[in-house]
Coordinates of all heavy atoms in Angstrom, one line a residue:
V1 N -5.9 94.9 107.6 CA -7.1 94.7 108.3 C -7.9 93.5 107.7 O -7.9 93.4 106.4 CB -8.1 95.9 108.3 CG1 -9.3 95.6 109.2 CG2 -7.4 97.1 108.8
T2 N -8.4 92.6 108.5 CA -9.2 91.5 108.0 C -10.5 91.4 108.8 O -10.6 92.1 109.8 CB -8.4 90.2 108.0 OG1 -9.1 89.2 107.3 CG2 -8.1 89.7 109.4
H3 N -11.4 90.5 108.4 CA -12.6 90.3 109.1 C -12.3 89.5 110.4 O -11.4 88.7 110.4 CB -13.7 89.5 108.3 CG -13.1 88.2 107.7 ND1 -12.2 88.1 106.7 CD2 -13.4 87.0 108.1 CE1 -12.0 86.9 106.4 NE2 -12.7 86.1 107.3
S4 N -13.1 89.7 111.4 CA -12.9 88.9 112.7 C -14.1 87.9 112.9 O -14.1 87.2 113.8 CB -12.8 89.8 113.9 OG -14.0 90.6 114.0
D5 N -15.1 88.0 112.1 CA -16.2 87.1 112.1 C -16.8 86.9 110.7 O -16.4 87.6 109.8 CB -17.3 87.5 113.2 CG -17.9 88.9 112.8 OD1 -18.1 89.2 111.6 OD2 -18.2 89.6 113.7
K6 N -17.8 86.0 110.6 CA -18.4 85.8 109.3 C -19.7 86.5 109.1 O -20.5 86.1 108.2 CB -18.4 84.3 108.9 CG -19.2 83.5 109.9 CD -19.1 82.0 109.5 CE -19.8 81.2 110.6 NZ -19.7 79.8 110.3
S7 N -19.9 87.5 109.9 CA -21.2 88.3 109.8 C -21.2 89.0 108.4 O -20.1 89.2 107.8 CB -21.3 89.3 110.8 OG -20.3 90.3 110.7
L8 N -22.4 89.2 107.8 CA -22.5 89.8 106.5 C -22.1 91.3 106.6 O -22.5 92.0 107.5 CB -23.9 89.6 105.9 CG -24.2 88.1 105.7 CD1 -25.6 88.0 105.2 CD2 -23.2 87.4 104.8
K9 N -21.4 91.8 105.6 CA -20.9 93.1 105.6 C -21.3 93.8 104.3 O -21.4 93.1 103.3 CB -19.4 93.2 105.8 CG -18.9 92.6 107.1 CD -17.5 92.0 107.0 CE -17.0 91.3 108.3 NZ -17.8 90.1 108.5
R10 N -21.4 95.1 104.3 CA -21.6 95.9 103.1 C -20.8 97.1 103.0 O -20.1 97.4 102.0 CB -23.1 96.2 103.0 CG -23.9 95.2 102.3 CD -25.1 95.7 101.7 NE -25.9 94.6 101.2 CZ -26.7 94.6 100.2 NH1 -27.0 95.8 99.7 NH2 -27.4 93.6 99.8
N11 N -20.9 98.0 104.0 CA -20.3 99.3 104.0 C -19.4 99.4 105.2 O -19.9 99.3 106.4 CB -21.4 100.4 104.0 CG -22.3 100.3 102.8 OD1 -21.8 100.1 101.7 ND2 -23.6 100.4 103.0
L12 N -18.1 99.7 105.0 CA -17.2 99.7 106.1 C -16.3 101.0 106.0 O -16.0 101.4 104.9 CB -16.2 98.5 106.0 CG -16.9 97.1 106.0 CD1 -15.8 96.0 105.8 CD2 -17.6 96.9 107.4
S13 N -16.0 101.5 107.1 CA -15.1 102.7 107.2 C -13.9 102.4 108.1 O -14.0 101.8 109.1 CB -15.9 103.9 107.8 OG -17.0 104.2 107.0
F14 N -12.7 102.9 107.6 CA -11.4 102.7 108.2 C -10.7 104.0 108.2 O -11.0 104.9 107.5 CB -10.6 101.7 107.4 CG -11.2 100.4 107.2 CD1 -12.1 100.2 106.1 CD2 -11.0 99.3 108.0 CE1 -12.7 99.0 105.9 CE2 -11.6 98.1 107.8 CZ -12.5 97.9 106.7
V15 N -9.7 104.1 109.1 CA -8.7 105.2 109.0 C -7.3 104.7 109.0 O -7.0 103.9 109.9 CB -8.9 106.2 110.2 CG1 -7.9 107.3 110.2 CG2 -10.3 106.8 110.3
W16 N -6.6 105.1 108.0 CA -5.2 104.7 107.8 C -4.3 105.8 108.1 O -4.6 107.0 107.8 CB -5.0 104.3 106.3 CG -3.6 103.9 105.9 CD1 -3.0 102.7 106.1 CD2 -2.7 104.7 105.2 NE1 -1.7 102.8 105.6 CE2 -1.5 104.0 105.0 CE3 -2.7 106.0 104.7 CZ2 -0.4 104.5 104.4 CZ3 -1.6 106.6 104.1 CH2 -0.5 105.8 103.9
K17 N -3.2 105.6 108.8 CA -2.2 106.6 109.2 C -1.0 106.4 108.4 O -0.4 105.3 108.4 CB -1.9 106.5 110.7 CG -1.0 107.7 111.1 CD -0.7 107.6 112.6 CE 0.2 108.7 113.0 NZ 1.6 108.7 112.4
A18 N -0.6 107.4 107.7 CA 0.6 107.4 106.8 C 1.8 107.4 107.8 O 1.8 108.0 108.8 CB 0.7 108.6 105.9
P19 N 2.9 106.7 107.4 CA 4.1 106.8 108.1 C 4.6 108.2 108.3 O 4.3 109.0 107.4 CB 5.1 105.9 107.3 CG 4.3 105.0 106.5 CD 3.0 105.8 106.2
D20 N 5.4 108.5 109.3 CA 5.9 109.8 109.5 C 7.0 110.2 108.5 O 7.2 111.4 108.2 CB 6.5 110.0 110.9 CG 5.4 109.9 112.0 OD1 4.2 110.3 111.7 OD2 5.6 109.4 113.1
Q21 N 7.6 109.3 107.9 CA 8.6 109.5 106.8 C 8.0 109.4 105.5 O 7.0 108.7 105.3 CB 9.8 108.6 107.0 CG 9.6 107.2 106.5 CD 8.9 106.3 107.6 OE1 8.5 106.8 108.7 NE2 8.7 105.0 107.3
P22 N 8.4 110.2 104.5 CA 7.8 110.1 103.1 C 8.0 108.7 102.5 O 9.0 108.0 102.7 CB 8.7 111.1 102.3 CG 9.3 112.0 103.3 CD 9.5 111.1 104.6
I23 N 6.9 108.2 101.9 CA 6.9 106.9 101.2 C 6.4 107.0 99.8 O 6.4 106.0 99.1 CB 6.0 105.9 102.0 CG1 4.6 106.4 102.1 CG2 6.6 105.6 103.4 CD1 3.6 105.3 102.5
G24 N 6.0 108.2 99.3 CA 5.5 108.3 98.0 C 4.0 108.0 97.9 O 3.3 107.9 98.8
D25 N 3.5 108.0 96.6 CA 2.1 107.7 96.4 C 1.7 106.4 96.9 O 2.5 105.4 96.8 CB 1.9 107.9 94.9 CG 2.2 109.3 94.3 OD1 2.4 110.2 95.1 OD2 2.2 109.4 93.1
I26 N 0.4 106.2 97.2 CA -0.1 104.9 97.7 C -1.4 104.6 97.0 O -2.1 105.5 96.5 CB -0.3 104.9 99.2 CG1 -1.2 106.1 99.7 CG2 1.1 105.0 100.0 CD1 -2.4 105.5 100.4

């Protein structure tokens, strides 16, 4: 994920989905 504009940011929330197969610690 990257920024799409140059607006000022401070606090951001995302949701990441792990692959369905095991990949180990991240």
